[in-house]
Amino acid sequence: MAAERPPSEAQWLEVTVMLGILSLGDFVSSHTPQNFLPQAATAPRIPATRLALHHFDASYGLQLGERWPAVRAALLCEQKYGALLNSFASAEHVAQELELHNATDFVSEAARKAQSLLQGSEVGVEKGESVSPEGHGGGRTVTPAGTSPPPAPIGSNIKCYTFPRGDITRFRPAWPDSLGLLSYYLMDAASLLPILALNVQPDDFVLDLCAAPGGKTLALLQTGACGHLAANDVSISRTKRLYQILSSYVPKNVREAVSVTSYDGRDWAELEGGTFHKVLVDVPCTTDRHSVMETDNNIFHRRRTKERQMLPMLQLQLLISGILATKPGGDVVYSTCSLSPLQNEYVIERAIEIAETQFNITTHAEDLSHFRTLFQDTFCFSSDCRLGELVLPHLTANFGPIYFCKLHRA
Ligand SMILES: C[S@@+](CC[C@H](N)C(=O)[O-])C[C@H]1O[C@@H](n2cnc3c(N)ncnc32)[C@H](O)[C@@H]1O
């Protein structure tokens, strides 16, 4: 298949400044000479975590208003985990043990809820209410006033256990079964939502464009549905961690079928355009929770200012590349672990625009608002996202932030 050619770096920069993702001010100031001068020896060293918090106070304070103090407190407290059950390990007694400790599988619970809501909406249809199936029309699906969108069934083999709201019990570390495969993988449970949104169907060809260290790759394998799975990450050292996760959780015959690569995801379309039914684009971002808590590898470190400022452009390029890698009729899920609209909705809007104007590819963002209904017992959602869904950290449900948005390629 002939690959669609992505724009050059110079063209990207022009497009991004033109579209306002990188303001001219940011662009010019990041190129002025003082940014290349070493810091004066006497200059006070403000830790990157503090810089991150200042930055978030200014931007998220405005964005979230009176909800920001609660989100801020949650970001600064211990996060909650979910235990993604490893279906490749002998896990039956594991589920029993977790349930004994009061943990529940939030994915099955949502599937049950979806089923009963769907039955309810079918009753509604019989009574003559107007409801439409999961939005595949143009633009974001608009629900007629007074009706709620019918929930898409959460058909997944994934099982992920969490403790109830307000319960801050920790999971004990996973243990190996008789074949050495670990029983569960501890992760931010909200990270599973992008995988559930992708809705992998049997035999789908799936691309995980920014895959390392591999939590979501493992979750994709747990669906048991991938016909082929390509897991890519530009970082060779992080790809090694992906291999480690695969060897700790996945039997040899299954992991050998996963194609692991270390390409720059922005070039993917040149290699394999229009090939995949489902593409996950889980981009590098300001990793808000990490940035306020950890000094190591902190994107708010002064020497990484330019890299941080250029993140929306990198994210946009990766998302465009993900769209180009998708077959017509396929889906892309874009996700970040940031609250920033500049890294979330803004990237989606620009990608839809560029896909249309430069590549003649029509995409639209799907309505995922039923996720709020289905998962509201486990996560706190923002109700303000123009496109996609955002899980807000909260002390009673300290997951996220996770933003996810699904694009359907016409
Ligand atoms: C948020 S992390 C992905 C986490 C992963 N999906 C998971 O669930 O474990 C973003 C990843 O993007 C990778 N990355 C950054 N720039 C990239 C590029 N140009 N192409 C491909 N991967 C890239 C980083 O190395 C990093 O591992």
Side-chain angles (χ1 to χ4, degrees), residues 118-133 150:
L118 200 61
Q119 279 160 4
S121 75
E122 276 163 10
V123 172
V125 171
E126 279 164 22
K127 284 182 183 166
E129 283 172 16
S130 116
V131 284
S132 59

Side-chain angles (χ1 to χ4, degrees), residues 76-303:
L76 292 167
C77 290
E78 188 177 325
Q79 78 176 109
K80 257 182 110 160
Y81 283 91
L84 172 67
L85 227 57
N86 184 11
S87 60
F88 300 114
S90 343
E92 230 165 73
H93 64 288
V94 181
Q96 284 165 5
E97 185 183 317
L98 292 172
E99 281 163 23
L100 212 63
H101 286 88
N102 213 19
T104 51
D105 169 20
F106 76 89
V107 184
S108 316
E109 276 176 8
R112 275 194 294 277
K113 199 167 180 178
Q115 200 54 44
S116 70
L117 286 170
L118 200 61
Q119 279 160 4
S121 75
E122 276 163 10
V123 172
V125 171
E126 279 164 22
K127 284 182 183 166
E129 283 172 16
S130 116
V131 284
S132 59
E134 190 188 10
H136 274 205
R140 185 174 168 128
T141 310
V142 178
T143 312
T147 63
S148 52
I154 301 291
S156 175
N157 296 323
I158 292 177
K159 288 190 187 309
C160 185
Y161 281 81
T162 53
F163 290 105
R165 262 178 192 269
D167 181 338
I168 55 167
T169 310
R170 294 187 188 136
F171 290 100
R172 73 161 161 125
W175 59 95
D177 71 358
S178 54
L179 296 174
L181 297 177
L182 291 175
S183 49
Y184 51 69
Y185 180 75
L186 294 179
M187 66 195 298
D188 186 326
S191 301
L192 271 187
L193 298 178
I195 306 296
L196 297 174
L198 203 56
N199 194 18
V200 179
Q201 295 299 303
D203 301 327
D204 271 353
F205 275 38
V206 182
L207 167 64
D208 188 352
L209 193 62
C210 307
K216 294 189 188 69
T217 312
L218 179 62
L220 285 166
L221 286 170
Q222 299 297 323
T223 65
C226 302
H228 171 65
L229 178 58
N232 176 71
D233 198 286
V234 75
S235 157
I236 291 175
S237 60
R238 284 170 69 92
T239 310
K240 283 187 189 141
R241 288 170 62 195
L242 171 66
Y243 276 118
Q244 278 163 10
I245 288 186
L246 291 179
S247 69
S248 305
Y249 287 88
V250 183
K252 199 163 180 244
N253 61 324
V254 178
R255 67 176 185 258
E256 280 180 355
V258 180
S259 108
V260 179
T261 52
S262 287
Y263 296 118
D264 186 326
R266 292 172 289 186
D267 302 334
W268 193 277
E270 287 175 21
L271 306 161
E272 249 179 329
T275 311
F276 294 89
H277 300 96
K278 304 283 158 68
V279 177
L280 177 67
V281 185
D282 185 36
V283 291
C285 67
T286 44
T287 52
D288 296 356
R289 191 182 280 278
H290 179 90
S291 292
V292 296
M293 293 299 277
E294 308 286 338
T295 314
D296 275 359
N297 195 25
N298 193 312
I299 189 85
F300 282 84
H301 200 289
R302 281 201 193 283
R303 63 169 180 268

